[in-house]
Structures are given as structure tokens and as C-alpha cells.
Amino acid sequence: MRAATSVLLPLLTCICWGHTWLSAAAAANVQFAMFSRCPDGQVHNGTTLFTAWEVSFLKCASSCSLHPECNSLNVCPTATDGVVTSVQCTMLVDIAGEDCQGLRPDTRSSEEHCFYLERNDRRCQNGGTRCGSRCLCVAGYAGDRCDRYIIDCQEAVEYAASRPQDGVFLVQPVGAPRAYHVMCEFWYNLTIVLARDPPCVDFSRGWGEYKTGFGLDDKKCNGQIEFFSGLDLLAYMTSQRSYQLHALHEYNQYNSTASAYYNGFRISGEAGSYALTYDSFTSRSGVDANNGFGTGTVRFYTSDHEAPDSCASARGQPGWYGAECKGYSPFASSPTWTVPAGDVTINKIKYYMMRL
């Protein structure tokens, strides 16, 4: 079954993101924490806050971003046969002189050169001189490649010094005006854009919240984070890469699962009411091949954005609906899914995006 048819705006700053759970306020702090990098082999004899071993340069800078007293850090990778296996991060209170003056050479081997990172937002936001000519984005870009975030969780692995830990990340596809939160599971480099444990968090929201995403400030349910990354993010992501959407559903009090796989999953822009299309559908656990988002032009509806068919009012919940307002909504207060035994009430939903 196939659902019917469906700028570069480079950032001028290096923006930092983390891979632990962040509140909205903490995420904002990370977002604007820019780091300049001095040449390899130089470190700063500053006042040390603490030293920690991390999995990547990304995690070092993220930790510094979240610490109110951390202004700079020495990063010392440990390598085996040229492959970084861990990173020693020394968080510092103070900053070095302009243009990397006042630094000392490090004493480690050539394949394990330390380097110094400095938070630009603490010194350079008012036009101060940056530390040297190189800039390190936390995503792993160096040199002149500091104009954007990672696109998705797969790119987080491609540019990190070592495999990051699962958690919440900021992603920003090319052309997107801002960054969006997703969850990353790195065993298969999956980008999670929807996580639900109904009915704990209220998903009966308006067009504006579904457009930009929501959930980071809401309570956790059964210890789980619930969120939706937003329609805009899905539109930007799927316009640049080919993805498979894996819709995973748990029911029978989490003891049973049913999966649907939409290959070539795409979402149009807002002007097209975030119309949903896909190239092919497969399933596991005996899910009916016709089960899913409906047929015809599958648009997104909310109670305050009903044109042209008033589907959200007809169905009593936001979601993607096709002809005659038919289709399954993952955002229902009590979502159901069809399995061979009939319709079941879903206890948990996750939407995984994976590159094809």
C-alpha cells in the first residue's frame, strides 16, 4: 500500500548539545555554549573544578556547558592504534589569554595530543578574540565545518570521537531555522521522534505545539520521557534523506508488541498540512498490511487547524487522517492498534526513524 502523493541557512556559531536528559532550561544553556579550540598539544594550567573520564569530546564539552562555573577545559584523548577509546576532561574555572597565549605544551604521545577548549559565550559574545583559528562544535566538526548541528542520530555517531551514550540530543537538518530534541538509540543509530506511555501526558494539543514539538517540560510517566519532536523536524529530515519509520506498539500491559514499518516515509511542509506519504509498508506480529495512516491524501489535523475536512473534531483527537477521516492516530488519549485478535489498547508507542 502506498499513501497518496505527497536553503541552506548556515549558522554562524558553533552550538553545543549533550547526550544526557536535559530540562528545557539546561538545553538552552547547552545550545548557546560555543567552544573555540586551540592547537593540538597545548593545555592551560588553570584552576581545576574536577576531572572526569568521558566517552567522547562531545560529552566533555556538554558537561562543561551544563556546569555554571566551567569556562574552559583540557581534553586529553586516550588512543589505541590511532583509535580514541576514552577522553579525559579537566574542567577549568578560568580562561587562557587571547589567541591561545599562556598555554603550555602537553606531555603526552603524539597520537594522544591534548587540546584546550574555551567557551566563547564567556569571553567572545561581545566581540572578543576567539582562541585561535579553529573551532570545535560538540557534534565533532572542526575547522570551517561549524555551521550546523548534526542531522540525525546516525550522524552523531559518524562525527563523535567514539560511540555516544543513548539519550536526548539536539538535531538540526540543513535549512532548519533551529534545533529540535530527539532521543537517540545507538545500537542501530535510531532517531526517536515520538515516545508515549498513554495516557500520562496530555497529547490533546494545538497546531502550534505539534508544529514545533513538545514534552520536554512535562512529567515523566513510569520513569519514561514522553515527547514529540515536531512536524517541522519530520518535514526537514525527510526532505533530505530517505528514512524508514518503525512504529513500535506495546500492549497487554507491555507484554506484547506490534510493529509497522513505513519505507520511504515522508512528511510535507506546513503549507501542505504536513501530508504523510510512504513508498511501502511491512509489518510484524501479524499486523494487517492495510492498518496505518489511512488512504488518499493523508493530512495532519488538530482542533484549531481543521481545514479542509474537520477530521480532528470528527475523530476527537489530533493526528494524520486520510479519506473520510480514516486512519490511526498515535496521539489519541487511548490509542488502539489492529492485531489478528482485534483492536488492542496501546500501552506504549515509539516512533523510530532509520536511514535507508
Side-chain angles (χ1 to χ4, degrees), residues 135-282:
C135 182
L136 176 74
C137 291
V138 180
Y141 293 98
D144 297 327
R145 299 193 61 188
C146 286
D147 58 349
R148 63 177 174 87
Y149 285 97
I150 58 168
I151 292 174
D152 54 24
C153 295
Q154 180 169 326
E155 195 170 71
V157 173
E158 291 170 353
Y159 286 96
S162 61
R163 184 172 293 276
Q165 297 175 346
D166 295 350
V168 176
F169 284 76
L170 286 169
V171 299
Q172 185 168 359
V174 175
R178 67 177 185 87
Y180 300 82
H181 283 92
V182 298
M183 292 180 68
C184 293
E185 290 186 4
F186 289 114
W187 186 255
Y188 291 108
N189 299 337
L190 299 173
T191 302
I192 304 174
V193 295
L194 169 66
R196 283 205 68 190
D197 199 349
C200 191
V201 171
D202 183 13
F203 274 63
S204 299
R205 305 186 183 221
W207 184 262
E209 287 188 273
Y210 274 99
K211 170 183 168 67
T212 60
F214 56 85
L216 293 176
D217 292 328
D218 289 324
K219 61 183 177 180
K220 295 183 181 180
C221 295
N222 299 324
Q224 302 297 314
I225 299 168
E226 292 199 64
F227 76 103
F228 176 54
S229 292
L231 296 164
D232 275 348
L233 172 65
L234 289 174
Y236 282 115
M237 282 181 65
T238 59
S239 69
Q240 296 169 24
R241 297 285 192 279
S242 181
Y243 288 93
Q244 176 193 79
L245 169 68
H246 172 198
L248 175 65
H249 308 86
E250 298 183 18
Y251 60 100
N252 288 343
Q253 298 304 309
Y254 312 100
N255 291 320
S256 302
T257 62
S259 292
Y261 299 87
Y262 300 88
N263 297 309
F265 178 83
R266 293 178 296 276
I267 299 295
S268 75
E270 185 175 16
S273 295
Y274 298 110
L276 182 156
T277 62
Y278 55 91
D279 295 331
S280 61
F281 173 94
T282 57

Side-chain angles (χ1 to χ4, degrees), residues 55-355:
V55 296
S56 67
F57 308 150
L58 174 154
K59 178 60 174 171
C60 289
S62 176
S63 297
C64 181
S65 299
L66 292 172
H67 198 291
E69 296 182 66
C70 183
N71 295 306
S72 62
L73 63 158
N74 294 323
V75 178
C76 295
T78 296
T80 302
D81 296 327
V83 177
V84 174
T85 55
S86 61
V87 180
Q88 184 185 50
C89 311
T90 303
M91 310 295 171
L92 305 174
V93 175
D94 48 359
I95 58 178
E98 294 184 356
D99 296 324
C100 301
Q101 301 299 312
L103 299 183
R104 66 169 176 83
D106 75 72
T107 57
R108 296 160 65 96
S109 68
S110 58
E111 79 168 354
E112 298 176 333
H113 267 319
C114 302
F115 56 87
Y116 172 71
L117 291 174
E118 192 167 277
R119 286 180 66 166
N120 290 344
D121 62 333
R122 299 299 173 88
R123 186 183 66 170
C124 302
Q125 60 184 355
N126 295 318
T129 303
R130 292 171 61 180
C131 181
S133 60
R134 298 179 61 195
C135 182
L136 176 74
C137 291
V138 180
Y141 293 98
D144 297 327
R145 299 193 61 188
C146 286
D147 58 349
R148 63 177 174 87
Y149 285 97
I150 58 168
I151 292 174
D152 54 24
C153 295
Q154 180 169 326
E155 195 170 71
V157 173
E158 291 170 353
Y159 286 96
S162 61
R163 184 172 293 276
Q165 297 175 346
D166 295 350
V168 176
F169 284 76
L170 286 169
V171 299
Q172 185 168 359
V174 175
R178 67 177 185 87
Y180 300 82
H181 283 92
V182 298
M183 292 180 68
C184 293
E185 290 186 4
F186 289 114
W187 186 255
Y188 291 108
N189 299 337
L190 299 173
T191 302
I192 304 174
V193 295
L194 169 66
R196 283 205 68 190
D197 199 349
C200 191
V201 171
D202 183 13
F203 274 63
S204 299
R205 305 186 183 221
W207 184 262
E209 287 188 273
Y210 274 99
K211 170 183 168 67
T212 60
F214 56 85
L216 293 176
D217 292 328
D218 289 324
K219 61 183 177 180
K220 295 183 181 180
C221 295
N222 299 324
Q224 302 297 314
I225 299 168
E226 292 199 64
F227 76 103
F228 176 54
S229 292
L231 296 164
D232 275 348
L233 172 65
L234 289 174
Y236 282 115
M237 282 181 65
T238 59
S239 69
Q240 296 169 24
R241 297 285 192 279
S242 181
Y243 288 93
Q244 176 193 79
L245 169 68
H246 172 198
L248 175 65
H249 308 86
E250 298 183 18
Y251 60 100
N252 288 343
Q253 298 304 309
Y254 312 100
N255 291 320
S256 302
T257 62
S259 292
Y261 299 87
Y262 300 88
N263 297 309
F265 178 83
R266 293 178 296 276
I267 299 295
S268 75
E270 185 175 16
S273 295
Y274 298 110
L276 182 156
T277 62
Y278 55 91
D279 295 331
S280 61
F281 173 94
T282 57
S283 66
R284 291 181 184 170
S285 306
V287 177
D288 182 350
N290 291 319
N291 185 282
F293 294 106
T295 59
T297 300
V298 182
R299 297 186 178 93
F300 197 83
Y301 298 86
T302 60
S303 59
D304 60 345
H305 196 90
E306 292 278 60
D309 300 317
S310 300
C311 285
S313 294
R315 294 294 300 274
Q317 57 211 21
W320 285 282
Y321 299 112
E324 300 178 352
C325 298
K326 293 183 178 179
Y328 149 79
S329 174
F331 308 112
S333 58
S334 183
T336 60
W337 188 257
T338 301
V339 297
D343 289 348
V344 294
T345 299
I346 299 302
N347 303 122
K348 182 180 290 187
I349 303 170
K350 277 191 177 180
Y351 273 17
Y352 297 89
M353 301 289 287
M354 183 176 185
R355 284 197 206 172

